[in-house]
C-alpha cells in the first residue's frame, strides 16, 4: 500500500532541491522574493501529487476492469475527495521535508531521514496491530486505541476510517473509527509547518560554498 507513495517520494523528493541548487545565487540575486518562489514550487509539487494519485487510481481501476466490470458506487466522489485530500497532503508534507533536508545536508540524507521515520511508523503500526489481533480484552481496547491514533501511518489506512454516510461505512477494525476530516487536518497541519520551515530555510540558507552532492550525495 505504501509503495506508490514511496515511489513518488523517490521521483520528487529532490524536485525543489534541484531547482534551488540550479538557481543558486544567479537566480536569487534577481528574484525579489525567495518565499514566493518556494511557494510556487510547493504548489507545483502538490499538483504533481494530485495528478500522480489520480494516475495510480486510474491504473488500479483499469487493471481491475480486465477481470470484471467496475462501476462507481453512490459514495464514489466523496470517498475520492477524502482519499485525494489525505494522501496528497501526506505526499506534499513528506516530499517537501525531503527537499528541505536535502538543502541542509544532501539529497540522499534527506531521503534516508524521512523514509527511516516513515518505515519506523509502518513497523510500529503493524506491531500495534498484532497486539490488537492477539486478543486484548474488549473492555480495555479503548484504552489502547491511542497507540494507533498517534501513528501518522494509521491515518493513511482508509479502512480504519469512519464516515457519517451509510454508503461509505468502512470496515472498522476492533472498534477503531478515525474521522477522515481528522486525518486531513493532521496532514494539512504537517504540510503547513513544513511549508513555513521551508520558507525560512530558502531565505536564510546560502548555497555559496556549500556543495553537499560533492560530499557523497546522488
Amino acid at each position: 500500500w505504501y509503495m506508490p507513495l514511496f515511489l513518488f517520494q523517490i521521483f520528487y523528493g529532490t524536485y525543489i532541491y534541484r531547482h534551488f541548487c540550479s538557481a543558486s545565487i544567479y537566480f536569487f540575486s534577481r528574484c525579489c522574493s525567495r518565499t514566493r518562489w518556494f511557494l510556487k514550487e510547493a504548489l507545483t509539487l502538490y499538483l504533481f501529487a494530485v495528478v500522480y494519485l489520480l494516475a495510480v487510481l486510474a491504473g488500479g481501476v483499469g487493471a481491475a476492469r480486465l477481470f470484471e466490470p467496475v462501476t462507481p458506487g453512490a459514495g464514489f466522489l466523496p470517498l475520492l475527495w477524502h482519499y485525494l485530500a489525505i494522501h496528497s497532503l501526506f505526499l506534499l508534507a513528506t516530499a517537501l521535508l525531503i527537499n528541505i533536508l536535502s538543502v541542509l545536508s544532501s539529497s540522499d540524507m534527506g531521503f534516508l531521514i524521512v523514509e527511516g521515520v516513515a518505515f519506523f511508523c509502518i513497523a510500529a503500526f503493524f506491531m500495534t496491530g498484532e497486539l490488537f489481533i492477539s486478543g486484548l480484552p474488549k473492555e480495555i481496547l479503548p484504552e489502547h486505541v491511542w497507540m494507533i491514533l498517534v501513528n501518522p501511518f494509521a491515518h493513511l489506512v482508509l479502512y480504519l476510517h469512519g464516515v457519517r454516510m451509510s454508503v461509505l461505512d468502512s470496515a472498522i477494525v476492533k472498534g477503531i473509527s478515525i474521522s477522515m476530516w481528522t486525518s486531513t487536518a493532521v496532514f494539512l497541519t504537517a504540510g503547513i509547518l513544513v511549508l513555513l520551515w521551508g520558507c525560512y530555510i530558502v531565505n536564510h540558507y546560502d548555497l555559496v560554498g556549500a556543495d553537499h552532492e560533492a560530499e557523497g550525495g546522488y
Side-chain angles (χ1 to χ4, degrees):
W1 293 345
Y2 185 71
M3 185 57 66
L5 308 180
F6 180 72
L7 291 177
F8 180 88
Q9 292 162 344
I10 292 177
F11 297 148
Y12 292 99
T14 57
Y15 172 78
I16 298 178
Y17 167 68
R18 292 194 304 268
H19 290 182
F20 185 72
C21 290
S22 61
S24 189
I25 190 64
Y26 305 107
F27 174 79
F28 291 125
S29 62
R30 299 174 177 84
C31 180
C32 59
S33 175
R34 290 191 179 195
T35 299
R36 184 183 304 171
W37 172 86
F38 180 75
L39 292 177
K40 183 179 178 181
E41 293 286 301
L43 177 60
T44 303
L45 183 63
Y46 179 73
L47 294 177
F48 282 152
V50 173
V51 172
Y52 176 82
L53 291 171
L54 288 173
V56 170
L57 285 174
V61 172
R65 293 190 65 177
L66 295 176
F67 302 97
E68 59 183 50
V70 177
T71 56
F76 167 72
L77 289 179
L79 185 60
L80 175 64
W81 188 92
H82 282 293
Y83 170 81
L84 289 177
I86 293 172
H87 287 72
S88 62
L89 289 171
F90 170 80
L91 288 179
L92 175 66
T94 53
L96 272 180
L97 187 56
I98 293 174
N99 278 280
I100 295 170
L101 292 175
S102 297
V103 170
L104 295 175
S105 54
S106 65
S107 55
D108 52 351
M109 186 58 64
F111 183 81
L112 289 174
I113 292 174
V114 173
E115 294 308 323
V117 173
F119 280 103
F120 173 81
C121 291
I122 293 174
F125 176 79
F126 282 108
M127 291 176 64
T128 309
E130 289 294 329
L131 177 64
F132 275 73
I133 295 172
S134 63
L136 279 177
K138 291 185 178 180
E139 58 271 15
I140 68 172
L141 276 176
E143 300 177 7
H144 294 78
V145 170
W146 67 269
M147 298 171 63
I148 288 183
L149 297 182
V150 298
N151 191 327
F153 182 75
H155 293 275
L156 296 173
V157 183
L158 289 184
Y159 71 75
L160 292 181
H161 290 73
V163 183
R164 293 179 180 177
M165 294 179 62
S166 59
V167 294
L168 288 181
D169 282 339
S170 301
I172 307 303
V173 178
K174 297 293 184 180
I176 301 169
S177 181
I178 306 173
S179 168
M180 288 193 174
W181 293 106
T182 299
S183 297
T184 302
V186 166
F187 292 126
L188 177 61
T189 302
I192 292 174
L193 292 176
V194 174
L195 196 62
L196 292 175
W197 189 40
C199 291
Y200 175 83
I201 293 300
V202 297
N203 279 287
H204 292 82
Y205 189 81
D206 192 354
L207 277 175
V208 177
D211 188 5
H212 300 309
E213 299 308 296
E215 299 174 5
Y218 57 83

